[in-house]
Amino acid sequence: MKHALITGITGQDGSYLAELLLSKGYEVYGLYRRKSRLDYGNVDHIADKIYMIEGDLSDYPSLVAAIKESQPDEVYNLAAQSFVGTSFKQPIATAEIDALGVVHLLEAIRNVKPDTKFYQASTSELFGGIYDTPCDEDTPFYPRSPYGAAKLYAHWITKNYRESYGIFACAGILFNHESERRGKEFVTRKITSTIAAIKHGEVDCLELGNLSAMRDWGHAEDYVKAMWLMLQQDVPDEFVIATGETHTVREFAQLAFQNADYDIRFEGENENEVAIDNKSGKTMLSVNPAFFRPAEVNVLLGNPTKAKNVLGWERVVTFEELVRRMSKTDLKGQC
């Protein structure tokens, strides 16, 4: 039986990955930070099937202990301060977790169990200011946020440990992937959860930032399959995981409103843009300039050709199905 250690196991990706590995017969361990009470988050429904180990990416001795206890064949590093907006407000904390934390984990693997296969969660935010889209594994990096910069260090140190110490270390450059388990601070879940709240009379209007921002959105359930596939290869490498298509925040919001049985129209431009309900005439969505980033990334589009050819990976959930599933879950949860 294979052993796997997942950092960030209670988050969106960690929970879907844990489910996938359990279905394949793995013994799954999850790293969690100490709190006043243990919160299983998105893995609450499978808490009796996984082994939780206390530890923190900023605390090297705890990672050494976690590797010794779990004896992992595979380590998936999904823990991070993963909200781009927060990284502008907390750049030092973001660097300590997303950059230096990866070195701590790689050192623990190197010194305790160097035959462990390692997966690093990289991000499309590495590309940031690159507009020669779609981006693939050979596209130059140009991060436009403290989050992207920290992740860039983590990406390169992962490759460095592979080349310097022979560790089987892979990095998945995952473009935006969402789900019903996404945190409400992320724009997609903010949209679907707020529309559900509007539907049930709890709030009046959805406020967003740049509606014209274009993203390559897929479903996290598809993307964790790519993570697993990377560690089943004979040779470690980097892979872009994406759908190869973009949609605007405006499109996402419009579909989510449709799933809640609203017929809306958009009026105005840029910071003055609003969405009006055609039936009631009410303003359902407005743009708040406070939600614009200091350094805006207008387009992120990935080219998953290498992942398809080498890993045999294909996305299953379409953009429309992604929005429908998120909307349906939030509408049901508000009842």
Side-chain angles (χ1 to χ4, degrees):
M1 177 185 292
K2 283 187 176 181
H3 289 202
L5 174 65
I6 304 172
T7 72
I9 194 170
T10 61
Q12 170 189 260
D13 292 7
S15 64
Y16 282 116
L17 179 60
E19 290 173 346
L20 176 66
L21 297 181
L22 287 171
S23 74
K24 295 183 178 297
Y26 280 65
E27 190 166 281
V28 177
Y29 295 79
L31 192 76
Y32 76 96
R33 286 186 295 173
R34 186 173 184 81
K35 299 179 181 179
S36 57
R37 72 179 182 85
L38 179 58
D39 180 7
Y40 287 104
N42 287 310
V43 292
D44 186 64
H45 63 295
I46 54 172
D48 60 335
K49 299 177 181 179
I50 58 181
Y51 300 90
M52 300 298 282
I53 302 175
E54 185 180 322
D56 194 300
L57 290 183
S58 64
D59 182 51
Y60 174 72
S62 72
L63 299 179
V64 169
I67 298 297
K68 287 181 177 179
E69 180 177 344
S70 61
Q71 288 295 302
D73 297 288
E74 299 169 2
V75 170
Y76 297 85
N77 183 39
L78 311 184
Q81 189 301 99
S82 57
F83 189 45
V84 175
T86 297
S87 76
F88 284 101
K89 299 176 182 178
Q90 300 179 21
I92 296 174
T94 300
E96 289 175 344
I97 298 168
D98 296 3
L100 296 181
V102 180
V103 183
H104 294 155
L105 186 53
L106 283 166
E107 272 292 281
I109 291 171
R110 183 173 76 89
N111 289 313
V112 177
K113 197 173 183 295
D115 62 339
T116 300
K117 292 186 174 183
F118 177 75
Y119 171 83
Q120 169 59 22
S122 290
T123 169
S124 58
E125 292 289 337
L126 297 181
F127 299 118
I130 300 299
Y131 299 108
D132 294 329
T133 56
C135 299
D136 61 20
E137 293 79 6
D138 296 321
T139 302
F141 297 129
Y142 186 173
R144 295 270 288 168
S145 67
Y147 169 74
K151 280 288 192 174
L152 180 58
Y153 176 88
H155 182 85
W156 280 111
I157 203 67
T158 296
K159 192 169 185 176
N160 183 267
Y161 267 67
R162 182 175 74 218
E163 296 176 349
S164 300
Y165 305 115
I167 291 175
F168 191 108
C170 295
I173 307 173
L174 273 58
F175 279 66
N176 296 69
H177 48 290
E178 318 297 322
S179 77
E180 308 88 300
R181 301 176 187 176
R182 191 57 139 158
K184 292 183 179 180
E185 69 273 23
F186 292 89
V187 66
T188 52
R189 185 73 194 290
K190 178 182 179 180
I191 290 170
T192 57
S193 63
T194 304
I195 290 175
I198 292 173
K199 188 74 173 179
H200 294 90
E202 297 173 8
V203 298
D204 295 323
C205 183
L206 168 64
E207 291 189 348
L208 296 174
N210 182 10
L211 297 183
S212 297
M214 303 178 72
R215 293 294 182 268
D216 185 328
W217 276 304
H219 196 289
E221 198 168 25
D222 288 335
Y223 285 43
V224 299
K225 295 175 185 175
M227 300 177 188
W228 177 76
L229 285 168
M230 289 180 210
L231 297 196
Q232 311 316 307
Q233 305 305 304
D234 294 329
V235 179
D237 206 348
E238 285 77 46
F239 294 89
V240 165
I241 307 300
T243 70
E245 62 183 44
T246 58
H247 298 274
T248 63
V249 173
R250 186 184 298 103
E251 287 179 78
F252 196 107
Q254 186 159 28
L255 266 180
F257 273 113
Q258 289 176 5
N259 286 320
D261 297 321
Y262 287 110
D263 177 21
I264 64 167
R265 68 180 187 276
F266 286 90
E267 297 181 354
E269 295 181 355
N270 301 324
E271 296 181 2
N272 296 315
E273 190 167 5
V274 295
I276 308 295
D277 180 20
N278 284 321
K279 183 177 181 180
S280 67
K282 292 181 179 179
T283 298
M284 308 293 287
L285 180 156
S286 63
V287 171
N288 185 341
F291 295 135
F292 280 72
R293 296 177 184 176
E296 194 68 37
V297 176
N298 294 315
V299 183
L300 283 175
L301 172 62
N303 178 359
T305 299
K306 181 179 176 181
K308 291 180 178 181
N309 292 340
V310 177
L311 304 178
W313 177 82
E314 292 283 351
R315 69 96 172 249
V316 175
V317 181
T318 64
F319 174 72
E320 291 76 16
E321 177 64 10
L322 166 67
V323 182
R324 189 195 68 79
R325 283 175 57 168
M326 292 180 68
S327 299
K328 180 179 178 181
T329 300
D330 276 324
L331 287 165
K332 181 180 178 181
Q334 292 287 342
C335 295

